[in-house]
Amino acid sequence: MTLRAYTHSSYTQQLSPFSKCIRNGNWLMLLSLMVMVTSIIISYPLAYQFTIPVQIAAHISTIIFAGLLKVAYVLRCVGLNELGQEVI
């Protein structure tokens, strides 16, 4: 039995659509969480260092990326459910 190194393209061709849902949901959750935390830091503890338009944009992006985090979690849950795995 030999181990075969998978290239990125051959790896993605083998994933089922629901595995892609899980992978994309995980990445989207990570990205939206990072942007949301950054916008919260800009909005509250470091607000005095930013102009009002930047603070407004940070407040708006907090709401948008919090919603995107929820959509990403639902996408992940759909993938897990369809593959018969436990949804936490």
Side-chain angles (χ1 to χ4, degrees):
M1 183 169 144
T2 61
L3 294 176
R4 186 177 138 196
Y6 291 102
T7 61
H8 181 69
S9 62
S10 66
Y11 175 72
T12 55
Q13 290 173 354
Q14 293 179 351
L15 290 177
S16 73
F18 296 113
S19 294
K20 289 180 184 178
C21 282
I22 295 170
R23 185 191 62 200
N24 293 339
N26 286 340
W27 278 108
L28 191 57
M29 283 175 55
L30 179 65
L31 176 68
S32 61
L33 181 66
M34 290 180 356
V35 172
M36 190 176 71
V37 167
T38 302
S39 64
I40 289 171
I41 290 171
I42 291 172
S43 297
Y44 297 104
L46 300 179
Y48 64 92
Q49 295 181 351
F50 294 95
T51 62
I52 293 296
V54 172
Q55 290 180 40
I56 291 170
H59 277 79
I60 292 170
S61 67
T62 300
I63 295 167
I64 291 170
F65 283 98
L68 193 59
L69 180 68
K70 294 171 187 175
V71 169
Y73 181 72
V74 169
L75 179 66
R76 182 180 179 275
C77 287
V78 166
L80 287 172
N81 186 42
E82 291 298 322
L83 290 177
Q85 298 179 5
E86 183 180 357
V87 178
I88 299 174

